[in-house]
Coordinates of all heavy atoms in Angstrom, one line a residue:
A32 N 0.8 -1.2 0.0 CA 0.0 0.0 0.0 C 0.9 1.2 0.0 O 2.0 1.2 0.4 CB -0.9 0.0 1.2
H33 N 0.3 2.3 -0.4 CA 1.0 3.6 -0.4 C 2.3 3.6 -1.3 O 3.3 4.3 -0.9 CB 1.3 4.1 1.0 CG 0.1 4.0 1.9 ND1 -0.8 5.1 1.9 CD2 -0.3 3.1 2.8 CE1 -1.8 4.8 2.8 NE2 -1.5 3.6 3.3
A34 N 2.3 2.9 -2.4 CA 3.4 2.9 -3.3 C 3.1 3.4 -4.6 O 2.0 3.0 -5.2 CB 3.9 1.4 -3.4
P35 N 3.9 4.2 -5.2 CA 3.7 4.6 -6.6 C 3.9 3.5 -7.6 O 4.8 2.7 -7.4 CB 4.6 5.8 -6.8 CG 5.7 5.5 -5.9 CD 5.1 4.8 -4.7
L36 N 3.2 3.5 -8.7 CA 3.3 2.5 -9.8 C 3.6 3.4 -11.0 O 2.9 4.3 -11.3 CB 2.1 1.7 -10.0 CG 2.1 0.7 -11.1 CD1 3.1 -0.5 -10.8 CD2 0.7 0.2 -11.4
V37 N 4.7 3.1 -11.7 CA 5.1 3.9 -12.9 C 5.5 2.9 -14.0 O 6.1 1.9 -13.8 CB 6.3 4.8 -12.5 CG1 7.5 4.1 -12.1 CG2 6.5 5.8 -13.6
A38 N 5.2 3.3 -15.2 CA 5.5 2.6 -16.4 C 6.8 3.1 -17.0 O 6.9 4.3 -17.1 CB 4.4 2.6 -17.4
R39 N 7.7 2.2 -17.3 CA 8.9 2.6 -18.1 C 9.1 1.5 -19.2 O 9.3 0.4 -18.9 CB 10.2 2.6 -17.2 CG 11.4 3.1 -17.9 CD 12.6 3.2 -16.9 NE 13.1 1.9 -16.6 CZ 14.1 1.8 -15.8 NH1 14.7 2.8 -15.2 NH2 14.5 0.5 -15.5
G40 N 8.9 2.0 -20.4 CA 8.9 1.0 -21.5 C 7.7 0.1 -21.4 O 6.6 0.5 -21.1
S41 N 7.9 -1.2 -21.5 CA 6.8 -2.2 -21.4 C 6.7 -2.7 -20.0 O 5.9 -3.7 -19.8 CB 7.0 -3.3 -22.4 OG 8.2 -4.0 -22.1
Q42 N 7.5 -2.2 -19.1 CA 7.5 -2.7 -17.7 C 6.8 -1.8 -16.7 O 6.8 -0.6 -17.0 CB 8.9 -3.0 -17.2 CG 9.8 -3.8 -18.1 CD 9.3 -5.3 -18.1 OE1 9.3 -5.9 -17.1 NE2 8.9 -5.8 -19.3
L43 N 6.3 -2.3 -15.6 CA 5.7 -1.5 -14.6 C 6.6 -1.6 -13.4 O 7.2 -2.7 -13.1 CB 4.3 -1.9 -14.2 CG 3.3 -1.9 -15.3 CD1 2.0 -2.5 -14.8 CD2 3.1 -0.5 -15.7
F44 N 6.8 -0.6 -12.6 CA 7.6 -0.6 -11.4 C 6.8 -0.1 -10.2 O 6.2 0.9 -10.2 CB 8.8 0.3 -11.5 CG 9.8 -0.3 -12.6 CD1 9.7 0.1 -13.9 CD2 10.8 -1.1 -12.2 CE1 10.5 -0.5 -14.8 CE2 11.7 -1.6 -13.1 CZ 11.6 -1.3 -14.4
L45 N 6.7 -0.9 -9.2 CA 6.1 -0.6 -7.9 C 7.2 -0.3 -6.9 O 8.0 -1.1 -6.6 CB 5.2 -1.8 -7.4 CG 4.4 -1.5 -6.2 CD1 3.3 -0.6 -6.5 CD2 3.8 -2.8 -5.7
I46 N 7.2 1.0 -6.4 CA 8.3 1.5 -5.7 C 8.0 1.8 -4.2 O 7.1 2.6 -3.9 CB 8.8 2.8 -6.4 CG1 9.1 2.6 -7.9 CG2 9.9 3.5 -5.7 CD1 9.1 3.8 -8.7
G47 N 8.7 1.1 -3.4 CA 8.5 1.2 -1.9 C 7.1 0.8 -1.5 O 6.5 -0.1 -2.0
G48 N 6.6 1.6 -0.6 CA 5.2 1.4 -0.1 C 5.3 0.9 1.4 O 6.3 1.1 2.1
S49 N 4.2 0.3 1.8 CA 4.1 -0.1 3.2 C 3.8 -1.6 3.3 O 3.1 -2.2 2.4 CB 2.9 0.6 3.9 OG 3.0 2.0 3.9
S50 N 4.4 -2.2 4.3 CA 4.2 -3.7 4.5 C 2.8 -3.8 5.2 O 2.1 -2.9 5.5 CB 5.2 -4.2 5.5 OG 5.1 -3.7 6.8
T51 N 2.4 -5.1 5.3 CA 1.1 -5.3 6.0 C 1.1 -4.9 7.4 O 0.0 -4.6 8.0 CB 0.7 -6.8 5.9 OG1 1.8 -7.6 6.5 CG2 0.5 -7.3 4.5
A52 N 2.3 -4.7 8.0 CA 2.4 -4.2 9.4 C 2.4 -2.7 9.4 O 2.4 -2.1 10.5 CB 3.6 -4.7 10.1
G53 N 2.4 -2.0 8.2 CA 2.4 -0.6 8.2 C 3.8 0.1 8.1 O 3.8 1.3 8.1
A54 N 4.8 -0.7 8.1 CA 6.2 -0.1 8.0 C 6.6 0.1 6.5 O 6.2 -0.6 5.6 CB 7.2 -1.1 8.6
A55 N 7.3 1.2 6.3 CA 7.7 1.5 5.0 C 8.7 0.5 4.5 O 9.5 -0.1 5.3 CB 8.4 2.9 4.9
V56 N 8.8 0.2 3.2 CA 9.7 -0.8 2.6 C 10.6 -0.2 1.6 O 10.3 0.9 1.1 CB 8.9 -2.0 2.0 CG1 8.1 -2.7 3.1 CG2 8.0 -1.6 0.9
D57 N 11.7 -0.9 1.3 CA 12.7 -0.3 0.3 C 12.7 -1.0 -1.0 O 13.6 -0.7 -1.8 CB 14.1 -0.3 1.0 CG 14.6 -1.7 1.2 OD1 13.9 -2.7 1.0 OD2 15.8 -1.8 1.6
T58 N 11.8 -1.9 -1.3 CA 11.9 -2.7 -2.5 C 11.3 -1.9 -3.7 O 10.4 -1.1 -3.6 CB 11.1 -4.0 -2.4 OG1 9.8 -3.7 -1.9 CG2 11.8 -5.0 -1.5
I59 N 11.9 -2.2 -4.9 CA 11.4 -1.8 -6.2 C 11.1 -3.1 -6.9 O 12.0 -3.9 -7.2 CB 12.5 -1.0 -7.0 CG1 12.9 0.2 -6.2 CG2 11.9 -0.6 -8.3 CD1 14.1 1.0 -6.8
L60 N 9.8 -3.3 -7.2 CA 9.3 -4.5 -7.9 C 9.1 -4.2 -9.4 O 8.5 -3.1 -9.7 CB 8.1 -5.0 -7.3 CG 8.1 -5.4 -5.8 CD1 6.7 -5.8 -5.3 CD2 9.1 -6.5 -5.6
R61 N 9.6 -5.1 -10.2 CA 9.3 -5.0 -11.7 C 8.2 -5.9 -12.0 O 8.2 -7.1 -11.7 CB 10.6 -5.4 -12.5 CG 10.3 -5.3 -14.0 CD 11.5 -5.8 -14.8 NE 12.7 -5.0 -14.5 CZ 13.9 -5.4 -14.0 NH1 14.0 -6.7 -13.6 NH2 14.9 -4.6 -13.8
I62 N 7.2 -5.4 -12.7 CA 6.0 -6.2 -13.1 C 6.0 -6.3 -14.6 O 6.0 -5.2 -15.3 CB 4.7 -5.6 -12.6 CG1 4.8 -5.5 -11.0 CG2 3.5 -6.4 -13.0 CD1 3.8 -4.6 -10.4
D63 N 5.9 -7.5 -15.2 CA 5.8 -7.6 -16.6 C 4.3 -7.9 -16.9 O 3.9 -9.0 -16.6 CB 6.7 -8.8 -17.1 CG 6.6 -9.0 -18.6 OD1 5.6 -8.6 -19.2 OD2 7.6 -9.5 -19.1
P64 N 3.6 -7.0 -17.4 CA 2.2 -7.2 -17.7 C 1.9 -8.3 -18.6 O 0.8 -8.9 -18.6 CB 1.7 -5.8 -18.2 CG 2.8 -4.9 -18.1 CD 4.0 -5.6 -17.8
T65 N 2.8 -8.6 -19.5 CA 2.6 -9.6 -20.5 C 2.6 -11.0 -19.9 O 1.7 -11.8 -20.1 CB 3.6 -9.5 -21.7 OG1 3.6 -8.2 -22.2 CG2 3.3 -10.6 -22.7
S66 N 3.6 -11.3 -19.1 CA 3.8 -12.6 -18.5 C 3.1 -12.7 -17.1 O 2.9 -13.8 -16.6 CB 5.2 -13.0 -18.4 OG 5.9 -12.2 -17.4
G67 N 3.0 -11.5 -16.5 CA 2.4 -11.5 -15.1 C 3.5 -11.7 -14.1 O 3.2 -11.8 -12.9
S68 N 4.8 -11.8 -14.5 CA 5.9 -12.1 -13.5 C 6.2 -10.8 -12.7 O 6.1 -9.7 -13.2 CB 7.1 -12.6 -14.2 OG 7.7 -11.6 -15.0
V69 N 6.6 -11.0 -11.5 CA 7.0 -10.0 -10.6 C 8.3 -10.3 -10.0 O 8.5 -11.4 -9.5 CB 6.0 -9.8 -9.4 CG1 6.4 -8.7 -8.4 CG2 4.6 -9.5 -10.0
T70 N 9.3 -9.4 -10.2 CA 10.7 -9.7 -9.6 C 11.1 -8.4 -8.9 O 10.7 -7.3 -9.1 CB 11.6 -10.0 -10.8 OG1 11.6 -8.9 -11.7 CG2 11.3 -11.3 -11.5
V71 N 12.1 -8.6 -8.0 CA 12.7 -7.5 -7.3 C 13.7 -6.9 -8.3 O 14.6 -7.5 -8.7 CB 13.4 -8.0 -6.0 CG1 14.1 -6.8 -5.4 CG2 12.4 -8.5 -5.0
A72 N 13.5 -5.6 -8.6 CA 14.4 -4.9 -9.6 C 15.5 -4.2 -8.8 O 16.5 -3.8 -9.5 CB 13.5 -3.9 -10.4
G73 N 15.3 -3.9 -7.6 CA 16.3 -3.2 -6.8 C 15.8 -2.8 -5.5 O 14.7 -3.2 -5.0
R74 N 16.6 -2.0 -4.8 CA 16.2 -1.5 -3.5 C 16.5 0.0 -3.4 O 17.4 0.5 -4.0 CB 17.1 -2.1 -2.4 CG 16.9 -3.6 -2.4 CD 16.6 -4.1 -1.0 NE 16.3 -5.6 -1.0 CZ 15.1 -6.1 -0.8 NH1 14.1 -5.3 -0.5 NH2 14.9 -7.4 -0.8
L75 N 15.6 0.7 -2.7 CA 15.8 2.2 -2.4 C 16.9 2.3 -1.4 O 17.1 1.4 -0.6 CB 14.5 2.8 -2.0 CG 13.4 2.8 -3.0 CD1 12.0 3.0 -2.3 CD2 13.6 3.8 -4.0
P76 N 17.5 3.5 -1.3 CA 18.5 3.7 -0.2 C 17.9 3.7 1.2 O 18.6 3.4 2.1 CB 19.1 5.1 -0.5 CG 18.6 5.4 -1.9 CD 17.5 4.6 -2.2
V77 N 16.6 4.0 1.3 CA 15.9 4.0 2.6 C 14.5 3.5 2.3 O 14.0 3.6 1.2 CB 15.9 5.4 3.2 CG1 17.3 5.9 3.6 CG2 15.2 6.4 2.3
P78 N 13.8 2.9 3.3 CA 12.4 2.6 3.1 C 11.6 3.8 2.9 O 11.9 4.9 3.4 CB 12.1 1.9 4.5 CG 13.4 1.5 5.1 CD 14.4 2.5 4.6
L79 N 10.6 3.7 2.0 CA 9.8 4.8 1.5 C 8.4 4.5 1.3 O 8.1 3.5 0.6 CB 10.4 5.3 0.2 CG 10.4 6.8 -0.2 CD1 11.2 7.6 0.9 CD2 11.1 7.0 -1.5
A80 N 7.5 5.2 1.9 CA 6.0 5.1 1.6 C 5.5 6.4 1.3 O 6.1 7.5 1.7 CB 5.3 4.4 2.8
D81 N 4.3 6.5 0.7 CA 3.6 7.8 0.4 C 4.5 8.7 -0.6 O 4.3 9.9 -0.5 CB 3.3 8.5 1.6 CG 2.3 7.7 2.5 OD1 1.4 7.1 2.0 OD2 2.5 7.8 3.8
A82 N 5.3 8.1 -1.4 CA 6.1 8.8 -2.4 C 5.3 9.0 -3.7 O 4.2 8.4 -3.9 CB 7.4 8.2 -2.7
S83 N 5.8 9.8 -4.6 CA 5.3 9.9 -6.0 C 6.4 9.5 -6.9 O 7.6 9.6 -6.5 CB 4.9 11.3 -6.3 OG 3.8 11.7 -5.4
A84 N 6.1 9.1 -8.1 CA 7.1 8.7 -9.1 C 6.6 9.1 -10.5 O 5.4 9.1 -10.7 CB 7.5 7.2 -9.0
V85 N 7.6 9.4 -11.4 CA 7.3 9.7 -12.7 C 8.4 9.2 -13.6 O 9.6 9.2 -13.2 CB 7.1 11.2 -12.9 CG1 8.3 12.0 -12.6 CG2 6.6 11.6 -14.3
A86 N 8.0 8.7 -14.8 CA 9.0 8.3 -15.8 C 9.4 9.5 -16.6 O 8.5 10.2 -17.1 CB 8.5 7.2 -16.7
V87 N 10.7 9.8 -16.7 CA 11.2 10.9 -17.5 C 12.2 10.2 -18.5 O 13.4 9.9 -18.1 CB 11.9 11.9 -16.7 CG1 12.4 13.1 -17.5 CG2 11.0 12.5 -15.6
G88 N 11.8 10.0 -19.7 CA 12.7 9.3 -20.7 C 12.9 7.9 -20.2 O 11.9 7.2 -19.9
A89 N 14.1 7.5 -20.1 CA 14.5 6.1 -19.6 C 14.6 6.1 -18.1 O 15.0 5.0 -17.6 CB 15.7 5.7 -20.3
R90 N 14.4 7.2 -17.4 CA 14.7 7.2 -16.0 C 13.4 7.3 -15.2 O 12.4 7.8 -15.7 CB 15.6 8.4 -15.6 CG 16.9 8.3 -16.4 CD 18.0 9.2 -15.9 NE 18.7 8.9 -14.7 CZ 19.4 7.9 -14.4 NH1 19.5 6.9 -15.2 NH2 20.1 7.9 -13.3
V91 N 13.4 6.8 -14.0 CA 12.2 7.0 -13.1 C 12.7 7.9 -11.9 O 13.7 7.6 -11.3 CB 11.8 5.6 -12.5 CG1 10.7 5.8 -11.5 CG2 11.2 4.8 -13.7
V92 N 12.0 9.0 -11.7 CA 12.3 9.9 -10.6 C 11.3 9.7 -9.5 O 10.1 9.7 -9.7 CB 12.3 11.3 -11.1 CG1 12.6 12.3 -9.9 CG2 13.2 11.5 -12.2
I93 N 11.8 9.5 -8.2 CA 10.9 9.2 -7.1 C 11.0 10.5 -6.2 O 12.1 10.9 -5.8 CB 11.4 8.0 -6.3 CG1 11.4 6.8 -7.3 CG2 10.5 7.7 -5.1 CD1 12.5 5.8 -7.0
L94 N 9.9 11.0 -5.8 CA 9.8 12.2 -5.0 C 9.0 12.0 -3.7 O 8.0 11.4 -3.7 CB 9.1 13.3 -5.8 CG 9.7 13.6 -7.2 CD1 8.6 13.8 -8.2 CD2 10.7 14.7 -7.2
G95 N 9.5 12.6 -2.7 CA 8.8 12.7 -1.4 C 8.9 11.4 -0.6 O 9.9 10.7 -0.6
G96 N 7.8 11.0 0.0 CA 7.8 9.8 0.8 C 8.0 10.1 2.2 O 8.8 9.5 2.9
G97 N 7.4 11.2 2.7 CA 7.6 11.6 4.1 C 8.7 12.5 4.4 O 9.0 12.8 5.5
G98 N 9.4 12.9 3.3 CA 10.6 13.8 3.5 C 10.9 14.5 2.3 O 10.2 14.4 1.2
R99 N 11.9 15.3 2.3 CA 12.3 16.1 1.1 C 13.3 15.2 0.4 O 14.6 15.4 0.5 CB 12.9 17.4 1.5 CG 11.9 18.3 2.1 CD 12.5 19.6 2.5 NE 11.5 20.5 3.1 CZ 11.8 21.6 3.7 NH1 13.0 22.0 3.8 NH2 10.8 22.3 4.2
T100 N 12.8 14.3 -0.4 CA 13.7 13.2 -1.0 C 13.5 13.2 -2.5 O 12.3 13.3 -3.0 CB 13.3 11.9 -0.4 OG1 13.3 12.0 1.0 CG2 14.3 10.8 -0.8
V101 N 14.5 13.0 -3.3 CA 14.5 12.7 -4.7 C 15.5 11.6 -5.0 O 16.6 11.7 -4.7 CB 14.8 14.0 -5.5 CG1 14.8 13.6 -7.0 CG2 13.8 15.1 -5.3
Y102 N 15.0 10.5 -5.6 CA 15.9 9.4 -6.1 C 15.5 9.2 -7.5 O 14.4 9.5 -8.0 CB 15.6 8.2 -5.3 CG 15.8 8.2 -3.8 CD1 14.8 8.2 -2.9 CD2 17.1 8.4 -3.3 CE1 15.0 8.3 -1.6 CE2 17.3 8.5 -1.9 CZ 16.3 8.4 -1.1 OH 16.5 8.5 0.3
E103 N 16.5 8.6 -8.2 CA 16.2 8.2 -9.6 C 16.9 6.9 -9.9 O 17.9 6.6 -9.3 CB 16.4 9.3 -10.6 CG 17.9 9.7 -10.7 CD 18.0 10.8 -11.8 OE1 18.2 10.4 -12.9 OE2 18.0 12.0 -11.4
F104 N 16.3 6.1 -10.8 CA 16.9 4.9 -11.3 C 16.6 4.7 -12.8 O 15.7 5.4 -13.3 CB 16.6 3.7 -10.5 CG 15.2 3.2 -10.6 CD1 14.9 2.2 -11.5 CD2 14.1 3.7 -9.9 CE1 13.6 1.7 -11.7 CE2 12.8 3.3 -10.0 CZ 12.6 2.3 -10.9

């Protein structure tokens, strides 16, 4: 919950969010809509929930998440 979902190319990325216990998480999940597969694409430097994200060209920019934070991958 509380995780941004952003499209980059033909893939979707679910970035951070909250665990079922309500704690922020640091995972970046890659979702392939064609096959339905979900894999861990990477990790954020810190756990992040309630952030926003946008694809800018080939990059994904992550903003906010409870602080003045900007990350990109």
Side-chain angles (χ1 to χ4, degrees):
H33 307 280
L36 180 70
V37 64
R39 185 173 75 181
S41 63
Q42 305 293 301
L43 300 174
F44 292 88
L45 187 66
I46 302 163
S49 301
S50 69
T51 56
V56 298
D57 66 353
T58 50
I59 301 171
L60 299 177
R61 178 185 299 117
I62 303 164
D63 182 333
T65 304
S66 68
S68 69
V69 178
T70 57
V71 175
R74 301 228 176 252
L75 295 164
V77 296
L79 212 58
D81 299 319
S83 296
V85 62
V87 180
R90 304 196 69 66
V91 173
V92 179
I93 305 149
L94 308 141
R99 296 180 180 168
T100 311
V101 176
Y102 300 109
E103 62 180 274
F104 71 94

